[in-house]
């Protein structure tokens, strides 16, 4: 008879979470943290493994955060699979799953917000003006609840990563924020829970996004004027089969500010958001600084 798979400990309250973490601290153990909204895939598990390489114990949260969804977005249909997520987290070396209720995170009378400027301006904010306020408040709460030494976030959501780093720095949150490389399938498509919405034909189109951005990144690195690079990438995405494009933009990697004079003069990032049916895909990649 084979042994049963290990059961991942799960807590739903901040009090229980802090009790476990406090016990680890008494043992002299360091703590890593990976926040998720569940519906986990290999990209999330890579973040857990990265956190495990940086800390002795890893907490992962699974919480579909309502404050980052607008009324017309997919809060109600966002995929949820808690039991499967727990098994996947255990397989990746996670030590504790924190799965709070909405009432635990936002109790009656909750009235506080977090506003981050700087890297939150433009791009996603132009199309989802509510988004980063929702992300900032839930991540600030989670970082304060877990009190981890290090937290790992994926670079697929690059603007979000920059916003979280800015918030943690500005609010003196001591947790070190680490960005991990985007996990992709064998065709270069960035892994995302929302890929589950895509049909077979849409998946074929989605896999072209990475190639369009790679070509544009090479052009930007050659100091081609960025408005032309962005315009051609926009057209290439429509030609590839995307139905509409929210943005394609090349920005400074360090703070997402625009480049002076419209040409690359240092490390950059090209970011895009495009639609296939009801599914909005985002992706980005590094743009090398031009050679001297």
């Amino acid at each position: 008879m084979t042994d049963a798979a290990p059961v991942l400990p799960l807590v739903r309250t901040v009090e229980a979470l802090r009790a476990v973490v406090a016990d680890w601290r008494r043992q002299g153990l360091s703590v890593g943290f990976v926040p998720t909204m569940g519906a986990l895939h290999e990209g999330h598990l890579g973040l857990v493994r990265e956190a495990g390489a940086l800390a002795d114990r890893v907490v992962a949260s699974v919480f579909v955060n309502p404050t980052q969804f607008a009324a017309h977005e997919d809060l109600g249909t966002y995929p949820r699979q808690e039991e499967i997520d727990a098994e996947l987290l255990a397989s990746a070396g996670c030590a504790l799953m924190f799965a709070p209720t909405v009432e635990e995170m936002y109790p009656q009378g909750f009235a506080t917000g977090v506003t981050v400027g700087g890297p939150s301006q433009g791009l996603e904010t132009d199309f989802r003006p509510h988004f980063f306020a929702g992300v900032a408040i839930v991540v600030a709460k989670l970082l304060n609840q877990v009190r981890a030494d290090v937290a790992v976030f994926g670079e697929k959501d690059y603007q979000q990563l920059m916003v979280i780093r800015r918030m943690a720095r500005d609010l003196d949150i001591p947790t070190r924020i680490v960005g991990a490389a985007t996990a992709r399938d064998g065709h270069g498509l960035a892994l995302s829970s929302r890929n589950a919405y895509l049909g077979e034909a849409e998946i074929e189109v989605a896999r072209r996004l990475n190639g369009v951005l790679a070509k544009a990144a090479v052009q930007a690195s050659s100091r081609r004027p960025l408005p032309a690079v962005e315009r051609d990438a926009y057209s290439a995405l429509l030609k590839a089969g995307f139905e509409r494009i929210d943005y394609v933009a090349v920005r400074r990697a360090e703070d997402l500010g625009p480049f002076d004079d419209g040409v690359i003069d240092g490390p950059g990032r090209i970011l895009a958001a495009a639609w296939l049916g009801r599914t909005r895909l985002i992706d980005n990649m590094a743009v090398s600084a031009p050679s001297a």
Side-chain angles (χ1 to χ4, degrees):
M1 180 181 297
T2 58
D3 293 334
V7 177
L8 180 66
L10 182 152
V11 294
R12 298 194 186 277
T13 68
V14 176
E15 181 180 9
L17 167 69
R18 286 181 170 167
V20 174
V21 173
D23 183 60
W24 291 343
R25 295 293 190 195
R26 283 191 291 270
Q27 298 175 56
L29 302 174
S30 58
V31 180
F33 175 50
V34 177
T36 84
M37 293 208 302
L40 303 183
H41 51 66
E42 179 56 33
H44 296 109
L45 303 185
L47 302 182
V48 172
R49 288 190 285 268
E50 177 70 15
L54 298 171
D56 299 312
R57 296 287 185 273
V58 178
V59 178
S61 62
V62 172
F63 178 66
V64 182
N65 175 40
T67 65
Q68 67 193 67
F69 289 80
H72 65 281
E73 294 181 335
D74 59 342
L75 174 62
T77 60
Y78 193 87
R80 293 164 170 85
Q81 52 179 42
E82 186 175 282
E83 290 186 8
I84 295 173
D85 289 342
E87 293 174 2
L88 291 171
L89 289 171
S91 74
C94 182
L96 181 69
M97 178 173 168
F98 177 44
T101 63
V102 173
E103 292 74 21
E104 179 72 9
M105 294 297 286
Y106 301 109
Q108 185 175 5
F110 187 90
T112 298
V114 176
T115 301
V116 182
S120 75
Q121 301 304 304
L123 303 174
E124 287 294 296
T125 302
D126 289 341
F127 298 88
R128 306 179 72 197
H130 60 283
F131 179 66
F132 286 125
V135 167
I137 188 59
V138 77
V139 173
K141 285 174 66 67
L142 287 166
L143 292 176
N144 282 325
Q145 289 163 353
V146 180
R147 300 171 180 171
D149 298 283
V150 59
V152 182
F153 295 81
E155 288 187 351
K156 184 182 81 71
D157 301 286
Y158 191 81
Q159 187 176 13
Q160 174 179 281
L161 173 62
M162 295 295 101
V163 168
I164 291 167
R165 280 181 171 160
R166 182 76 265 172
M167 178 196 70
R169 187 179 305 124
D170 289 352
L171 297 183
D172 300 314
I173 296 173
T175 302
R176 180 163 66 100
I177 306 300
V178 171
T182 302
R184 301 181 181 276
D185 71 9
H187 301 268
L189 175 63
L191 300 186
S192 170
S193 299
R194 288 188 170 98
N195 290 355
Y197 298 156
L198 298 172
E200 185 175 344
E202 291 174 326
I203 284 284
E204 290 302 312
V205 175
R207 286 171 170 164
R208 299 169 188 163
L209 175 56
N210 179 60
V212 171
L213 294 185
K215 181 178 179 180
V218 170
Q219 293 177 348
S221 293
S222 70
R223 295 183 63 83
R224 186 180 183 215
L226 296 180
V229 172
E230 294 165 352
R231 181 179 63 248
D232 287 356
Y234 189 104
S235 297
L237 288 173
L238 291 175
K239 185 176 180 180
F242 288 90
E243 294 166 23
R244 74 178 189 271
I245 317 302
D246 281 352
Y247 60 82
V248 180
V250 181
R251 298 290 182 86
R252 293 190 180 278
E254 63 182 13
D255 60 7
L256 294 182
F259 283 95
D260 296 334
D261 302 322
V263 292
I264 288 279
D265 59 10
R269 207 86 184 183
I270 183 167
L271 307 98
W275 287 86
L276 284 172
R278 65 190 182 109
T279 307
R280 185 177 187 266
L281 302 176
I282 64 170
D283 202 353
N284 69 88
M285 64 177 51
V287 179
S288 300
S291 55

